[in-house]
Amino acid sequence: MDLISIRDLTKEDVEAYFKKTAEMEKNLASGKKPVSNIVVANLFFEPSTRTSLSFQTAAKRLGADSVVYNASTGSTQKGETLKDTIRIIDGYADLIVIRHPLEGSARLAADVAVHPVINAGDGGNQHPTQTLIDLYTILKCKGKIDGLAVQLVGDLKHARAMRSLLYGLAMFGADVTLVAPKGLEMEKSVIDEVRERFGAKVSERSSLDLKSCDVLYVCRVQKERFSDPYEAEKVQKEFSLHEEDLKDVKKDLIILHPLPKIDEIPESVDRSPHAKYFEQAKYGVPVRMAILYSIIKEAQK
Ligand code: NCD
């Protein structure tokens, strides 16, 4: 019933989420609210705009209520352990959504809680609901995932969204190229895992080559996960997509980004027909409606 890692899902599970999301898009249009008497607790111990607000919007649009734990005024500030905080909230709510800087924190919460737990990001580890949004967006824009040439560009060492997404893309048979600034490459064990598990085609490059690219997925330098913030700022300044990079690209190339974007995509690119990241962010609501709905129904069985 929990959703902690993209590894918890089979391809069939992911496809069922896509199907449910399409249904939820219809519900959004008609205003139908299929859930009642459910409280979703949101605990965010790291900054969030999209994930936290789209989960709250999704709950509301489903007919559920949300309560929000404020990490800056909550009792973890007094020294209460995460375990105890989870135990308490588990007694109030029917489902817990958690984001926390510690890798493994969502799994710990799931072990403690009786109710289902959804991982909204645990440190640099996993961000499974973002991956479902990313895959759904690709499917909506391109009609398929299998065989697409996808480039993941950015801080692949620290970005949980990229780790989860590589797994999801491999599961669906995309050809993935990884492009990272020096020192920020994806951990080898993560690449080995998808090669072994899915026979995935994954290659690594040190610079962009977008000629045959179908999906360009960019993420920011994850400054908060660097031990030296000056180092992060230096890389961030040097690392950016330029309009010239998009000169010879395929007409139907799409550019995605989990957001927030900082300097890595110039504002002028926002106006390009390739830029789909705002549309991608919008899918956060129906995708998270599908996730909440499916988990609530499973828990009620
Ligand atoms: C991502 C995250 O928190 O991992 N943001 C998000 O959920 N949309 C990506 C990021 O912060 O760079």
Side-chain angles (χ1 to χ4, degrees):
M1 285 189 314
D2 305 306
L3 179 50
I4 306 302
S5 165
I6 190 73
R7 289 186 199 85
D8 297 345
L9 302 176
T10 62
K11 194 173 172 193
E12 290 68 40
D13 293 332
V14 176
E15 281 167 344
Y17 276 132
F18 292 160
K19 210 166 148 215
K20 195 48 84 186
T21 302
E23 242 176 68
M24 291 300 161
E25 284 195 272
K26 285 196 195 114
N27 286 357
L28 271 172
S30 69
K32 184 179 161 200
K33 294 187 169 177
V35 164
S36 62
N37 196 26
I38 290 288
V39 174
V40 177
N42 285 273
L43 284 78
F44 280 73
F45 294 90
E46 276 191 342
S48 175
T49 301
R50 277 147 291 271
T51 309
S52 123
L53 286 179
S54 64
F55 262 117
Q56 287 179 60
T57 307
K60 218 177 174 66
R61 299 265 191 217
L62 275 175
D65 291 303
S66 289
V67 289
V68 178
Y69 175 82
N70 183 336
S72 58
T73 57
S75 283
T76 37
Q77 292 291 343
K78 297 181 185 171
E80 185 172 57
T81 62
L82 178 63
K83 264 187 176 174
D84 280 0
T85 304
I86 295 294
R87 274 192 194 106
I88 300 307
I89 290 166
D90 193 36
Y92 299 160
D94 303 291
L95 197 152
I96 295 174
V97 178
I98 182 171
R99 168 173 289 186
H100 195 282
L102 274 185
E103 302 186 357
S105 50
R107 187 76 69 192
L108 173 92
D111 288 345
V112 172
V114 172
H115 293 106
V117 171
I118 298 175
N119 183 6
D122 62 325
N125 186 29
Q126 280 285 311
H127 198 351
T129 67
Q130 181 66 48
T131 296
L132 293 175
I133 295 165
D134 300 341
L135 296 176
Y136 190 73
T137 308
I138 295 174
L139 209 54
K140 288 286 273 200
C141 294
K142 311 290 284 181
K144 64 167 191 173
I145 301 170
D146 183 33
L148 290 181
V150 183
Q151 295 205 14
L152 304 185
V153 181
D155 179 356
L156 306 183
K157 180 178 177 185
H158 301 108
R160 54 194 173 207
M162 292 300 209
R163 274 187 182 212
S164 292
L165 180 57
L166 175 62
Y167 193 97
L169 288 169
M171 184 188 265
F172 279 85
D175 295 345
V176 185
T177 304
L178 305 172
V179 187
K182 204 168 177 324
L184 299 183
E185 293 87 1
M186 178 88 66
E187 206 177 283
K188 196 171 168 300
S189 62
V190 179
I191 304 173
D192 288 345
E193 180 184 358
V194 297
R195 280 188 179 138
E196 271 162 36
R197 204 150 181 169
F198 303 109
K201 285 194 220 149
V202 184
S203 51
E204 291 182 90
R205 289 182 53 90
S206 54
S207 61
L208 276 180
D209 177 7
L210 297 177
K211 267 197 275 324
S212 55
C213 183
D214 298 304
V215 180
L216 168 63
Y217 193 108
V218 186
C219 81
R220 73 185 167 95
V221 174
Q222 310 278 301
K223 192 168 143 193
E224 66 276 32
R225 310 213 193 285
F226 278 65
S227 43
D228 179 358
Y230 294 106
E231 185 57 33
E233 265 165 42
K234 207 176 116 216
V235 190
Q236 177 71 60
K237 283 207 178 83
E238 288 164 6
F239 164 65
S240 173
L241 187 70
H242 299 99
E243 269 182 84
E244 307 89 83
D245 295 324
L246 300 176
K247 254 191 191 147
D248 295 322
V249 297
K250 284 186 172 176
K251 234 178 124 196
D252 59 352
L253 164 83
I254 60 166
I255 307 173
L256 303 180
H257 192 305
L259 303 177
K261 57 184 172 68
I262 317 298
D263 303 317
E264 63 281 2
I265 295 189
E267 213 181 311
S268 56
V269 174
D270 294 355
R271 290 187 291 275
S272 120
H274 302 294
K276 298 290 182 200
Y277 29 85
F278 293 116
E279 187 176 328
Q280 175 189 7
K282 238 174 137 174
Y283 288 129
V285 173
V287 170
R288 290 187 166 120
M289 284 171 79
I291 295 167
L292 289 174
Y293 179 84
S294 307
I295 292 180
I296 289 165
K297 289 295 154 192
E298 189 64 34
Q300 284 173 342
K301 272 185 190 164

